C-alpha cells in the first residue's frame, strides 16, 4: 500500500514525488500522459501510473491503496481534475491537500481577460500576428479568429496526437511549433521575433510554468500580452 498518492503533471508535483521517495516514503505518482511520465524515474519508493482517471476511477484507487494522504499538485488550470480528486477523497474519507503554484508578477504588462473566449473576442478587434502559448486544449476557439491560418502561431507539446489535432484545425506546419517547455526568456524572444508577433497569449501559470520568462520576453520584444487569469482563487499549501 502506498502512503502518499501524488497527482502530478507540474514541476512541483514531480519535485514532491522525488522528495518523498528520497525520504523513503512509499509514493505513487499519477501523470496524465507518457510525456509527463518521463519526468519521473521509478525506484524502490516511487511508482508512476500514466493515464487519465475520472472520479470513479480515483475512488477505486483510493479504496484499494488506502493512502495516508492524497496531494493534488495538478496544474492551476486543471480545474475539473481538482474537483474530481477532491470529491473522490471526500467520498472515500481520504486526507486531501491541494498544492498551490506560486503566482507570477505580471504588474501592468498585460491585457487581462478571464477566459479563452474573452481572449479571442479581444484579439478579434486587433491586428498583427499572435503567438499562442496556452497549449492545444482550447486551440479550436482561436481557430474561430478571422485569418487565423495566417495570423496565429500555436506552440504545443510535440506529441503526434497534438500535432495531428492542430493540422485538423487548419494550423499548417509553419504555424505549429511542437516543443516542450518551460522556455527561457531568450527562446521566447527569438520565437516572437521570428514570427513577427505583435501579441502573445498566455495563462497565469506561475513561475515554474515559465510565466515570468514569457512576460519578460514580450516586454523585450515589444509584444503585448493577452493574459488569461487563473480560473479561481484556491486554498492550499505551497510546495515549500
Amino acid at each position: 500500500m502506498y502512503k502518499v498518492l501524488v497527482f502530478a503533471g507540474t514541476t512541483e508535483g514531480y519535485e514532491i514525488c522525488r522528495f518523498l521517495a528520497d525520504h523513503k516514503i512509499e509514493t505513487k505518482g499519477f501523470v496524465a500522459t507518457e510525456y509527463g511520465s518521463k519526468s519521473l524515474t521509478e525506484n524502490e519508493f516511487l511508482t508512476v501510473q500514466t493515464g487519465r482517471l475520472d472520479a470513479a476511477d480515483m475512488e477505486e484507487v483510493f479504496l484499494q491503496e488506502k493512502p495516508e494522504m492524497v496531494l493534488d499538485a495538478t496544474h492551476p488550470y486543471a480545474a475539473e481534475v481538482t474537483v474530481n480528486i477532491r470529491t473522490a477523497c471526500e467520498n472515500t474519507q481520504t486526507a486531501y491537500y491541494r498544492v498551490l503554484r506560486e503566482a507570477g508578477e505580471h504588474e501592468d504588462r498585460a491585457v487581462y481577460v478571464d477566459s479563452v473566449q474573452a481572449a479571442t473576442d479581444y484579439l478579434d478587434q486587433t491586428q498583427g500576428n499572435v503567438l499562442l502559448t496556452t497549449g492545444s486544449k482550447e486551440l479550436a476557439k482561436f481557430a474561430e479568429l478571422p485569418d487565423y491560418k495566417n495570423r496565429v502561431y500555436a506552440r504545443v507539446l510535440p506529441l503526434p496526437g497534438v500535432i495531428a489535432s492542430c493540422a485538423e484545425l487548419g494550423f499548417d506546419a509553419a504555424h505549429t511549433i511542437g516543443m516542450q517547455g518551460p522556455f527561457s526568456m531568450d527562446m521566447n524572444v527569438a520565437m516572437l521575433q521570428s514570427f513577427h508577433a505583435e501579441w502573445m497569449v498566455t495563462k497565469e501559470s506561475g513561475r515554474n510554468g515559465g510565466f515570468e520568462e514569457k512576460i519578460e520576453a514580450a516586454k523585450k520584444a515589444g509584444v503585448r500580452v493577452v493574459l488569461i487569469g487563473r480560473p479561481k482563487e484556491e486554498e492550499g499549501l505551497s510546495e515549500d
Side-chain angles (χ1 to χ4, degrees):
M1 297 297 179
Y2 298 97
K3 292 187 176 181
V4 182
L5 303 183
V6 182
F7 284 83
T10 60
T11 302
E12 294 88 344
Y14 304 144
E15 291 177 351
I16 288 170
C17 285
R18 298 185 195 105
F19 175 87
L20 291 169
D22 288 345
H23 287 77
K24 300 182 179 180
I25 297 172
E26 293 179 68
T27 305
K28 187 168 189 176
F30 294 84
V31 295
T33 65
E34 290 288 344
Y35 211 94
S37 67
K38 294 178 181 179
S39 298
L40 291 173
T41 302
E42 292 188 329
N43 56 45
E44 180 183 357
F45 295 98
L46 175 61
T47 302
V48 180
Q49 180 172 321
T50 304
R52 302 182 187 280
L53 303 178
D54 60 23
D57 295 330
M58 293 175 186
E59 286 189 28
E60 184 177 346
V61 170
F62 297 169
L63 289 172
Q64 178 181 344
E65 300 293 352
K66 295 181 172 59
E68 292 186 15
M69 67 180 68
V70 170
L71 301 181
D72 174 9
T74 57
H75 196 276
Y77 283 87
E80 182 179 351
V81 177
T82 286
V83 170
N84 287 342
I85 298 171
R86 185 182 291 114
T87 300
C89 284
E90 290 175 353
N91 292 343
T92 58
Q93 298 183 330
T94 304
Y96 168 89
Y97 296 95
R98 176 66 166 135
V99 180
L100 300 180
R101 168 173 283 185
E102 183 180 1
E105 297 178 3
H106 54 80
E107 300 175 353
D108 297 321
R109 303 178 190 173
V111 175
Y112 179 89
V113 295
D114 59 8
S115 66
V116 172
Q117 182 63 61
T120 57
D121 289 344
Y122 181 86
L123 288 170
D124 190 25
Q125 307 301 315
T126 68
Q127 295 181 340
N129 290 347
V130 181
L131 174 62
L132 296 179
T133 66
T134 52
S136 61
K137 187 176 180 181
E138 292 133 343
L139 198 56
K141 275 291 179 186
F142 293 99
E144 296 175 4
L145 286 169
D147 199 30
Y148 77 94
K149 292 183 180 181
N150 295 316
R151 185 184 178 196
V152 179
Y153 294 80
R155 191 166 76 186
V156 298
L157 287 174
L159 301 173
V162 171
I163 301 300
S165 68
C166 291
E168 290 174 3
L169 287 171
F171 290 88
D172 62 22
H175 287 74
T176 304
I177 308 97
M179 296 181 69
Q180 166 71 19
F183 301 92
S184 68
M185 183 193 73
D186 289 339
M187 177 66 81
N188 284 319
V189 170
M191 287 189 185
L192 291 167
Q193 293 177 339
S194 175
F195 305 134
H196 304 289
E198 294 186 30
W199 299 92
M200 172 193 281
V201 180
T202 186
K203 291 181 177 180
E204 214 296 59
S205 54
R207 293 182 180 176
N208 284 341
F211 176 72
E212 295 295 331
E213 288 80 1
K214 293 179 188 177
I215 295 295
E216 291 299 328
K219 182 180 179 181
K220 185 172 183 179
V223 171
R224 297 198 67 187
V225 176
V226 176
L227 173 59
I228 304 172
R230 293 191 180 199
K232 62 179 181 179
E233 291 296 325
E234 292 187 291
E235 293 184 356
L237 305 173
S238 68
E239 178 186 359
D240 288 342

